[in-house]
Amino acid sequence: MSENRENKTPQQAAENAPGARDHAAQAEQLDAADPLGSAVRDRFVLDDTVYLDGNSLGALPRAVPGRMAEVISREWGELRIRSWDESGWWTAPERVGDKIAPLIGASPGRVVVGDSTSINVFKAVVGGIRMAGKGCTEILVDATTFPTDGYIARSAARMTGLAVRPVEPTRIADEVTERTALALVNHVDYRTGELNDLPGITNALHSAGALAVWDLCHSAGALPVGVERYNVDLAVGCTYKYLNGGPGSPAYLYVRESLQERFDSPLPGWNSHADPFGMTSDYAAAEGIVRGRVGTPDILSLLALEAALDAWDGVAVEDVRTKSLALTDLFLDCVAAYAPPGRVRSITPYDHGRRGSQVSLECSGAAEVMAELIRRGVIGDFRQPDVLRFGFTPLYTSFADAERAARVLGEVLRALPEEDAAPGAGG
Amino acid sequence: MSENRENKTPQQAAENAPGARDHAAQAEQLDAADPLGSAVRDRFVLDDTVYLDGNSLGALPRAVPGRMAEVISREWGELRIRSWDESGWWTAPERVGDKIAPLIGASPGRVVVGDSTSINVFKAVVGGIRMAGKGCTEILVDATTFPTDGYIARSAARMTGLAVRPVEPTRIADEVTERTALALVNHVDYRTGELNDLPGITNALHSAGALAVWDLCHSAGALPVGVERYNVDLAVGCTYKYLNGGPGSPAYLYVRESLQERFDSPLPGWNSHADPFGMTSDYAAAEGIVRGRVGTPDILSLLALEAALDAWDGVAVEDVRTKSLALTDLFLDCVAAYAPPGRVRSITPYDHGRRGSQVSLECSGAAEVMAELIRRGVIGDFRQPDVLRFGFTPLYTSFADAERAARVLGEVLRALPEEDAAPGAGG
């Protein structure tokens, strides 16, 4: 990309940044001892950049290009219509769902893949409202949610005659009432990387007779979710972040087994019919998670995702969590060591119990700082008005990556002192 | 596939079927004079079968495998997150919409691609209901519709407090009242191949103050639709039939320009926001057709579709219509000549003005007959209880294909006399 790219040896690095020798050596040791080390990392197509934007778009798994060539040329090109049966296209939404299920702590038959996250939020919120008691008059929505959840939840409430009340996740236990049908909460805050208390909030909601609907976009694939262990009622998530399914790959819907029979979808397409090829004009919902389907599944994207999920073979999500915390620990330590004092401030909690798998740093002139980081081969992203986001995907992010990212950040911050940096809000 | 496959010369064929020599020679002449002949046909991956199921899943355009390899390896694998801007991912839903627009008679900025047909039916029906006058109490739904439209329309009506009344398309002009918000109608009947009177029905609806919402799944790409010429209000369609976008490729939504400002989507995801990266908690709909978007677009499928649409370069949809009618004419003539008398009955109208681009034949034992046709290399499909469907895609179906399909059908029907054929309902 540019000659500015940072490819220094740890020794060279140590000449520039305070404490760099120690941290670089520490990173090397951690990588050497990493059970998810190069064997898993080699399942991805990587280059000499440090890619810390896997919380937005995961890197390409090596299995995908070959599999997609086969899907396109053989399954579509040669078998054509026969592939709906012979290549297992028709059942892919459930089959890929069963492949995601263990990553979020679900049994088979609880997860179905298809449509975007926004569409699945609509299914989950309307479906949840329809399961709630007659006296319910409102739903709660995480006040810090990724915006689409809020927009869709308001549409769902409008169409079912309920009110929407935005509530900070930490306040849900206090704010839920017997009139609350459900709360829609983000497991990890997309902006700050804060991990919300899924077991505690779910329990509090249940104590008040409300359902817990979780958005797992920023947690699934980065940490154990435990949807069944903690009795989550409904959940949705995307698959293009830590699950590496590709740009805009289809999202998923989880419905707790005991609620599936009562799940009454607002989007009852022919794929969720008990007898889809009966072509009857009367709708009868299929049994089980199939009723979360809508229209014809998007096969190319679904099968790319399926191939991408092979990168998880033999990987325990608990090990991913351990590495994730070690990566973000190291990054935060390195930032503290390398960045000019007071120049950045982490808005991601230091407490492991409250941290997801990203680090967000408040930084004046963040837009310009991120642009320069990217020019120097460290890919994170910028969120308005002044946040630098760095996502850590344990399957392919190394400790050396974390150290190098912090080191380059230190260099950029020294090259762009605060007084020179433009306000981030302009970016 | 099997040694039964039919690869006879016209001369050999003539020995077996009455009138075959004439029809085979006629097919040869028609192919030689076809302006959409082999140059366009060569844009598709074909084999020695006769593929007449393009009304269910279009054949693979040759441009797709190479383009997808590039999208996956270069745009996703190398550029990764940068591709949202640099590779034009973000604007693909509108860009691909503009590529579909001329095929349905729309100007740029009227069509957006994304989500399944069922999801787009929901957007169109709820959006249409919200545009209708306060006094409206019902919507009409094509009584012969592909089932998913009916299921989704009933959900849309349930969520907006309206009633649903199924009406035969030919009866809509008589049944529409001042209380009708809209009618949802299939342009071509998926089962019979009958072309409904889009200009007349649209006019009748408008005269009563109702909106016309058309499902173009079985017409777009096979005949000129003229959505703007005939003042269609809203329309949806899939892209995996005559548009050859691939299995489950994303559907599209058309909204008439003068209605776009009033289009109030029930699925207001972050992609339809006026400032999607502002990440504000308040929703403000984007201007124009962008407000038909919902969540993150499904890039792999969308770009496969975009590449597939290159097969239309230099092709006028009027020429496609001319060839389509000539193909189905020839097929019907050949079936009349080759099939044992009274053994099959076309439920597709002979009148050109009422015929889409498929021929549906009622036939006892249809399931078994279709299975045997497929074994002999003629790929159509079976619809319960007793319908053989043959779709003709003028971009790649030749007149020789049409003649051969009818000839093989005649052979199969003679090999499976009516008394031996199992009832189709079992298939």
Side-chain angles (χ1 to χ4, degrees), chain B residues 319-346:
Chain B
D319 291 339
V320 166
R321 175 61 169 164
T322 302
K323 181 174 174 188
S324 161
L325 289 170
L327 282 166
T328 50
D329 274 346
L330 178 69
F331 180 73
L332 285 164
D333 285 352
C334 290
V335 168
Y338 301 160
R343 186 69 181 77
V344 295
R345 185 177 75 86
S346 173

PDB file of all heavy atoms in Angstrom, chain B residues 319-346:
ATOM      1  N   ASP B 319     -37.775  -7.678 -28.266  1.00  0.00           N
ATOM      2  CA  ASP B 319     -37.329  -8.820 -29.072  1.00  0.00           C
ATOM      3  C   ASP B 319     -37.460 -10.119 -28.273  1.00  0.00           C
ATOM      4  O   ASP B 319     -37.733 -11.191 -28.826  1.00  0.00           O
ATOM      5  CB  ASP B 319     -35.869  -8.634 -29.506  1.00  0.00           C
ATOM      6  CG  ASP B 319     -35.715  -7.506 -30.527  1.00  0.00           C
ATOM      7  OD1 ASP B 319     -36.730  -7.163 -31.169  1.00  0.00           O
ATOM      8  OD2 ASP B 319     -34.599  -6.982 -30.658  1.00  0.00           O
ATOM      9  N   VAL B 320     -37.232 -10.003 -26.987  1.00  0.00           N
ATOM     10  CA  VAL B 320     -37.388 -11.174 -26.118  1.00  0.00           C
ATOM     11  C   VAL B 320     -38.846 -11.634 -26.152  1.00  0.00           C
ATOM     12  O   VAL B 320     -39.129 -12.835 -26.247  1.00  0.00           O
ATOM     13  CB  VAL B 320     -36.934 -10.831 -24.681  1.00  0.00           C
ATOM     14  CG1 VAL B 320     -37.396 -11.880 -23.686  1.00  0.00           C
ATOM     15  CG2 VAL B 320     -35.407 -10.670 -24.642  1.00  0.00           C
ATOM     16  N   ARG B 321     -39.756 -10.688 -26.090  1.00  0.00           N
ATOM     17  CA  ARG B 321     -41.176 -11.025 -26.124  1.00  0.00           C
ATOM     18  C   ARG B 321     -41.547 -11.690 -27.453  1.00  0.00           C
ATOM     19  O   ARG B 321     -42.261 -12.702 -27.473  1.00  0.00           O
ATOM     20  CB  ARG B 321     -42.015  -9.767 -25.907  1.00  0.00           C
ATOM     21  CG  ARG B 321     -43.518  -9.956 -26.033  1.00  0.00           C
ATOM     22  CD  ARG B 321     -44.061 -10.926 -25.017  1.00  0.00           C
ATOM     23  NE  ARG B 321     -45.527 -10.922 -24.971  1.00  0.00           N
ATOM     24  CZ  ARG B 321     -46.242 -11.870 -24.400  1.00  0.00           C
ATOM     25  NH1 ARG B 321     -45.641 -12.925 -23.824  1.00  0.00           N
ATOM     26  NH2 ARG B 321     -47.557 -11.805 -24.357  1.00  0.00           N
ATOM     27  N   THR B 322     -41.064 -11.129 -28.538  1.00  0.00           N
ATOM     28  CA  THR B 322     -41.369 -11.711 -29.844  1.00  0.00           C
ATOM     29  C   THR B 322     -40.894 -13.165 -29.900  1.00  0.00           C
ATOM     30  O   THR B 322     -41.626 -14.070 -30.313  1.00  0.00           O
ATOM     31  CB  THR B 322     -40.681 -10.888 -30.956  1.00  0.00           C
ATOM     32  OG1 THR B 322     -41.137  -9.537 -30.855  1.00  0.00           O
ATOM     33  CG2 THR B 322     -40.999 -11.437 -32.336  1.00  0.00           C
ATOM     34  N   LYS B 323     -39.663 -13.384 -29.438  1.00  0.00           N
ATOM     35  CA  LYS B 323     -39.134 -14.752 -29.480  1.00  0.00           C
ATOM     36  C   LYS B 323     -39.883 -15.657 -28.506  1.00  0.00           C
ATOM     37  O   LYS B 323     -40.147 -16.825 -28.803  1.00  0.00           O
ATOM     38  CB  LYS B 323     -37.640 -14.749 -29.162  1.00  0.00           C
ATOM     39  CG  LYS B 323     -37.034 -16.156 -29.228  1.00  0.00           C
ATOM     40  CD  LYS B 323     -35.529 -16.168 -29.056  1.00  0.00           C
ATOM     41  CE  LYS B 323     -35.014 -17.607 -28.981  1.00  0.00           C
ATOM     42  NZ  LYS B 323     -33.581 -17.675 -28.629  1.00  0.00           N
ATOM     43  N   SER B 324     -40.217 -15.112 -27.345  1.00  0.00           N
ATOM     44  CA  SER B 324     -40.934 -15.915 -26.349  1.00  0.00           C
ATOM     45  C   SER B 324     -42.240 -16.463 -26.932  1.00  0.00           C
ATOM     46  O   SER B 324     -42.567 -17.655 -26.776  1.00  0.00           O
ATOM     47  CB  SER B 324     -41.218 -15.055 -25.114  1.00  0.00           C
ATOM     48  OG  SER B 324     -42.251 -15.607 -24.338  1.00  0.00           O
ATOM     49  N   LEU B 325     -42.984 -15.595 -27.595  1.00  0.00           N
ATOM     50  CA  LEU B 325     -44.265 -16.036 -28.167  1.00  0.00           C
ATOM     51  C   LEU B 325     -44.044 -17.045 -29.287  1.00  0.00           C
ATOM     52  O   LEU B 325     -44.790 -18.028 -29.411  1.00  0.00           O
ATOM     53  CB  LEU B 325     -45.069 -14.833 -28.657  1.00  0.00           C
ATOM     54  CG  LEU B 325     -45.631 -13.954 -27.531  1.00  0.00           C
ATOM     55  CD1 LEU B 325     -46.199 -12.653 -28.084  1.00  0.00           C
ATOM     56  CD2 LEU B 325     -46.697 -14.717 -26.729  1.00  0.00           C
ATOM     57  N   ALA B 326     -43.002 -16.817 -30.080  1.00  0.00           N
ATOM     58  CA  ALA B 326     -42.719 -17.772 -31.164  1.00  0.00           C
ATOM     59  C   ALA B 326     -42.306 -19.134 -30.579  1.00  0.00           C
ATOM     60  O   ALA B 326     -42.672 -20.190 -31.112  1.00  0.00           O
ATOM     61  CB  ALA B 326     -41.631 -17.203 -32.071  1.00  0.00           C
ATOM     62  N   LEU B 327     -41.553 -19.106 -29.484  1.00  0.00           N
ATOM     63  CA  LEU B 327     -41.135 -20.359 -28.842  1.00  0.00           C
ATOM     64  C   LEU B 327     -42.331 -21.134 -28.298  1.00  0.00           C
ATOM     65  O   LEU B 327     -42.451 -22.348 -28.496  1.00  0.00           O
ATOM     66  CB  LEU B 327     -40.171 -20.068 -27.678  1.00  0.00           C
ATOM     67  CG  LEU B 327     -38.714 -19.750 -28.016  1.00  0.00           C
ATOM     68  CD1 LEU B 327     -38.008 -19.158 -26.785  1.00  0.00           C
ATOM     69  CD2 LEU B 327     -37.975 -21.018 -28.469  1.00  0.00           C
ATOM     70  N   THR B 328     -43.200 -20.421 -27.591  1.00  0.00           N
ATOM     71  CA  THR B 328     -44.340 -21.116 -26.997  1.00  0.00           C
ATOM     72  C   THR B 328     -45.351 -21.520 -28.072  1.00  0.00           C
ATOM     73  O   THR B 328     -45.981 -22.575 -27.968  1.00  0.00           O
ATOM     74  CB  THR B 328     -44.989 -20.279 -25.874  1.00  0.00           C
ATOM     75  OG1 THR B 328     -45.231 -18.939 -26.338  1.00  0.00           O
ATOM     76  CG2 THR B 328     -44.080 -20.208 -24.655  1.00  0.00           C
ATOM     77  N   ASP B 329     -45.456 -20.709 -29.133  1.00  0.00           N
ATOM     78  CA  ASP B 329     -46.289 -21.120 -30.278  1.00  0.00           C
ATOM     79  C   ASP B 329     -45.786 -22.453 -30.842  1.00  0.00           C
ATOM     80  O   ASP B 329     -46.555 -23.402 -31.048  1.00  0.00           O
ATOM     81  CB  ASP B 329     -46.220 -20.074 -31.398  1.00  0.00           C
ATOM     82  CG  ASP B 329     -47.224 -18.930 -31.231  1.00  0.00           C
ATOM     83  OD1 ASP B 329     -48.149 -19.072 -30.410  1.00  0.00           O
ATOM     84  OD2 ASP B 329     -47.067 -17.898 -31.921  1.00  0.00           O
ATOM     85  N   LEU B 330     -44.497 -22.488 -31.112  1.00  0.00           N
ATOM     86  CA  LEU B 330     -43.922 -23.692 -31.709  1.00  0.00           C
ATOM     87  C   LEU B 330     -44.109 -24.891 -30.777  1.00  0.00           C
ATOM     88  O   LEU B 330     -44.488 -25.987 -31.207  1.00  0.00           O
ATOM     89  CB  LEU B 330     -42.429 -23.482 -32.006  1.00  0.00           C
ATOM     90  CG  LEU B 330     -41.717 -24.706 -32.591  1.00  0.00           C
ATOM     91  CD1 LEU B 330     -42.199 -25.005 -34.015  1.00  0.00           C
ATOM     92  CD2 LEU B 330     -40.188 -24.524 -32.588  1.00  0.00           C
ATOM     93  N   PHE B 331     -43.864 -24.674 -29.497  1.00  0.00           N
ATOM     94  CA  PHE B 331     -43.997 -25.772 -28.546  1.00  0.00           C
ATOM     95  C   PHE B 331     -45.441 -26.290 -28.513  1.00  0.00           C
ATOM     96  O   PHE B 331     -45.679 -27.503 -28.563  1.00  0.00           O
ATOM     97  CB  PHE B 331     -43.550 -25.309 -27.155  1.00  0.00           C
ATOM     98  CG  PHE B 331     -43.642 -26.377 -26.096  1.00  0.00           C
ATOM     99  CD1 PHE B 331     -42.732 -27.431 -26.074  1.00  0.00           C
ATOM    100  CD2 PHE B 331     -44.624 -26.336 -25.108  1.00  0.00           C
ATOM    101  CE1 PHE B 331     -42.801 -28.424 -25.091  1.00  0.00           C
ATOM    102  CE2 PHE B 331     -44.704 -27.321 -24.126  1.00  0.00           C
ATOM    103  CZ  PHE B 331     -43.794 -28.365 -24.117  1.00  0.00           C
ATOM    104  N   LEU B 332     -46.386 -25.372 -28.471  1.00  0.00           N
ATOM    105  CA  LEU B 332     -47.788 -25.794 -28.441  1.00  0.00           C
ATOM    106  C   LEU B 332     -48.166 -26.537 -29.729  1.00  0.00           C
ATOM    107  O   LEU B 332     -48.865 -27.562 -29.685  1.00  0.00           O
ATOM    108  CB  LEU B 332     -48.698 -24.573 -28.228  1.00  0.00           C
ATOM    109  CG  LEU B 332     -48.707 -24.024 -26.798  1.00  0.00           C
ATOM    110  CD1 LEU B 332     -49.295 -22.616 -26.748  1.00  0.00           C
ATOM    111  CD2 LEU B 332     -49.488 -24.956 -25.852  1.00  0.00           C
ATOM    112  N   ASP B 333     -47.677 -26.032 -30.861  1.00  0.00           N
ATOM    113  CA  ASP B 333     -47.936 -26.728 -32.131  1.00  0.00           C
ATOM    114  C   ASP B 333     -47.338 -28.130 -32.098  1.00  0.00           C
ATOM    115  O   ASP B 333     -47.972 -29.104 -32.527  1.00  0.00           O
ATOM    116  CB  ASP B 333     -47.290 -25.966 -33.309  1.00  0.00           C
ATOM    117  CG  ASP B 333     -48.076 -24.712 -33.675  1.00  0.00           C
ATOM    118  OD1 ASP B 333     -49.190 -24.528 -33.129  1.00  0.00           O
ATOM    119  OD2 ASP B 333     -47.561 -23.930 -34.493  1.00  0.00           O
ATOM    120  N   CYS B 334     -46.112 -28.225 -31.623  1.00  0.00           N
ATOM    121  CA  CYS B 334     -45.438 -29.523 -31.601  1.00  0.00           C
ATOM    122  C   CYS B 334     -46.128 -30.487 -30.638  1.00  0.00           C
ATOM    123  O   CYS B 334     -46.263 -31.678 -30.924  1.00  0.00           O
ATOM    124  CB  CYS B 334     -43.967 -29.360 -31.216  1.00  0.00           C
ATOM    125  SG  CYS B 334     -42.973 -28.548 -32.487  1.00  0.00           S
ATOM    126  N   VAL B 335     -46.560 -29.966 -29.492  1.00  0.00           N
ATOM    127  CA  VAL B 335     -47.268 -30.832 -28.542  1.00  0.00           C
ATOM    128  C   VAL B 335     -48.550 -31.358 -29.199  1.00  0.00           C
ATOM    129  O   VAL B 335     -48.873 -32.554 -29.104  1.00  0.00           O
ATOM    130  CB  VAL B 335     -47.585 -30.077 -27.231  1.00  0.00           C
ATOM    131  CG1 VAL B 335     -48.561 -30.872 -26.362  1.00  0.00           C
ATOM    132  CG2 VAL B 335     -46.296 -29.803 -26.453  1.00  0.00           C
ATOM    133  N   ALA B 336     -49.250 -30.463 -29.899  1.00  0.00           N
ATOM    134  CA  ALA B 336     -50.481 -30.899 -30.577  1.00  0.00           C
ATOM    135  C   ALA B 336     -50.182 -31.978 -31.606  1.00  0.00           C
ATOM    136  O   ALA B 336     -50.960 -32.930 -31.797  1.00  0.00           O
ATOM    137  CB  ALA B 336     -51.155 -29.694 -31.243  1.00  0.00           C
ATOM    138  N   ALA B 337     -49.035 -31.849 -32.261  1.00  0.00           N
ATOM    139  CA  ALA B 337     -48.676 -32.817 -33.298  1.00  0.00           C
ATOM    140  C   ALA B 337     -48.151 -34.134 -32.717  1.00  0.00           C
ATOM    141  O   ALA B 337     -48.426 -35.206 -33.252  1.00  0.00           O
ATOM    142  CB  ALA B 337     -47.631 -32.198 -34.227  1.00  0.00           C
ATOM    143  N   TYR B 338     -47.381 -34.046 -31.638  1.00  0.00           N
ATOM    144  CA  TYR B 338     -46.653 -35.228 -31.159  1.00  0.00           C
ATOM    145  C   TYR B 338     -47.356 -36.001 -30.048  1.00  0.00           C
ATOM    146  O   TYR B 338     -47.089 -37.191 -29.856  1.00  0.00           O
ATOM    147  CB  TYR B 338     -45.274 -34.842 -30.608  1.00  0.00           C
ATOM    148  CG  TYR B 338     -44.324 -34.154 -31.566  1.00  0.00           C
ATOM    149  CD1 TYR B 338     -43.252 -33.412 -31.066  1.00  0.00           C
ATOM    150  CD2 TYR B 338     -44.461 -34.270 -32.950  1.00  0.00           C
ATOM    151  CE1 TYR B 338     -42.343 -32.786 -31.911  1.00  0.00           C
ATOM    152  CE2 TYR B 338     -43.558 -33.632 -33.806  1.00  0.00           C
ATOM    153  CZ  TYR B 338     -42.507 -32.891 -33.281  1.00  0.00           C
ATOM    154  OH  TYR B 338     -41.616 -32.277 -34.109  1.00  0.00           O
ATOM    155  N   ALA B 339     -48.172 -35.322 -29.258  1.00  0.00           N
ATOM    156  CA  ALA B 339     -48.741 -36.006 -28.089  1.00  0.00           C
ATOM    157  C   ALA B 339     -49.941 -36.843 -28.494  1.00  0.00           C
ATOM    158  O   ALA B 339     -50.698 -36.446 -29.389  1.00  0.00           O
ATOM    159  CB  ALA B 339     -49.152 -34.974 -27.035  1.00  0.00           C
ATOM    160  N   PRO B 340     -50.103 -37.997 -27.862  1.00  0.00           N
ATOM    161  CA  PRO B 340     -51.309 -38.785 -28.131  1.00  0.00           C
ATOM    162  C   PRO B 340     -52.548 -37.929 -27.884  1.00  0.00           C
ATOM    163  O   PRO B 340     -52.604 -37.193 -26.888  1.00  0.00           O
ATOM    164  CB  PRO B 340     -51.213 -39.925 -27.103  1.00  0.00           C
ATOM    165  CG  PRO B 340     -49.771 -39.993 -26.721  1.00  0.00           C
ATOM    166  CD  PRO B 340     -49.243 -38.599 -26.845  1.00  0.00           C
ATOM    167  N   PRO B 341     -53.523 -38.011 -28.778  1.00  0.00           N
ATOM    168  CA  PRO B 341     -54.699 -37.124 -28.675  1.00  0.00           C
ATOM    169  C   PRO B 341     -55.365 -37.204 -27.298  1.00  0.00           C
ATOM    170  O   PRO B 341     -55.554 -38.293 -26.758  1.00  0.00           O
ATOM    171  CB  PRO B 341     -55.632 -37.645 -29.765  1.00  0.00           C
ATOM    172  CG  PRO B 341     -54.738 -38.355 -30.730  1.00  0.00           C
ATOM    173  CD  PRO B 341     -53.596 -38.901 -29.943  1.00  0.00           C
ATOM    174  N   GLY B 342     -55.668 -36.032 -26.738  1.00  0.00           N
ATOM    175  CA  GLY B 342     -56.398 -35.967 -25.476  1.00  0.00           C
ATOM    176  C   GLY B 342     -55.571 -36.257 -24.240  1.00  0.00           C
ATOM    177  O   GLY B 342     -56.065 -36.182 -23.120  1.00  0.00           O
ATOM    178  N   ARG B 343     -54.287 -36.559 -24.433  1.00  0.00           N
ATOM    179  CA  ARG B 343     -53.464 -36.974 -23.284  1.00  0.00           C
ATOM    180  C   ARG B 343     -53.022 -35.788 -22.426  1.00  0.00           C
ATOM    181  O   ARG B 343     -52.834 -35.934 -21.218  1.00  0.00           O
ATOM    182  CB  ARG B 343     -52.252 -37.753 -23.831  1.00  0.00           C
ATOM    183  CG  ARG B 343     -51.361 -38.375 -22.795  1.00  0.00           C
ATOM    184  CD  ARG B 343     -52.048 -39.533 -22.077  1.00  0.00           C
ATOM    185  NE  ARG B 343     -51.136 -40.083 -21.077  1.00  0.00           N
ATOM    186  CZ  ARG B 343     -50.879 -39.522 -19.901  1.00  0.00           C
ATOM    187  NH1 ARG B 343     -51.505 -38.403 -19.573  1.00  0.00           N
ATOM    188  NH2 ARG B 343     -50.030 -40.067 -19.055  1.00  0.00           N
ATOM    189  N   VAL B 344     -52.802 -34.632 -23.052  1.00  0.00           N
ATOM    190  CA  VAL B 344     -52.465 -33.417 -22.298  1.00  0.00           C
ATOM    191  C   VAL B 344     -53.379 -32.281 -22.764  1.00  0.00           C
ATOM    192  O   VAL B 344     -53.902 -32.315 -23.878  1.00  0.00           O
ATOM    193  CB  VAL B 344     -50.991 -32.966 -22.495  1.00  0.00           C
ATOM    194  CG1 VAL B 344     -50.020 -33.987 -21.924  1.00  0.00           C
ATOM    195  CG2 VAL B 344     -50.685 -32.700 -23.964  1.00  0.00           C
ATOM    196  N   ARG B 345     -53.545 -31.300 -21.875  1.00  0.00           N
ATOM    197  CA  ARG B 345     -54.378 -30.155 -22.214  1.00  0.00           C
ATOM    198  C   ARG B 345     -53.669 -28.900 -21.722  1.00  0.00           C
ATOM    199  O   ARG B 345     -53.270 -28.825 -20.543  1.00  0.00           O
ATOM    200  CB  ARG B 345     -55.724 -30.279 -21.503  1.00  0.00           C
ATOM    201  CG  ARG B 345     -56.731 -29.196 -21.885  1.00  0.00           C
ATOM    202  CD  ARG B 345     -58.069 -29.432 -21.186  1.00  0.00           C
ATOM    203  NE  ARG B 345     -58.008 -29.083 -19.770  1.00  0.00           N
ATOM    204  CZ  ARG B 345     -58.206 -27.853 -19.276  1.00  0.00           C
ATOM    205  NH1 ARG B 345     -58.468 -26.851 -20.099  1.00  0.00           N
ATOM    206  NH2 ARG B 345     -58.144 -27.636 -17.978  1.00  0.00           N
ATOM    207  N   SER B 346     -53.463 -27.965 -22.610  1.00  0.00           N
ATOM    208  CA  SER B 346     -52.782 -26.732 -22.193  1.00  0.00           C
ATOM    209  C   SER B 346     -53.717 -25.879 -21.346  1.00  0.00           C
ATOM    210  O   SER B 346     -54.850 -25.621 -21.734  1.00  0.00           O
ATOM    211  CB  SER B 346     -52.335 -25.934 -23.421  1.00  0.00           C
ATOM    212  OG  SER B 346     -51.833 -24.675 -22.986  1.00  0.00           O
TER     213      SER B 346
END
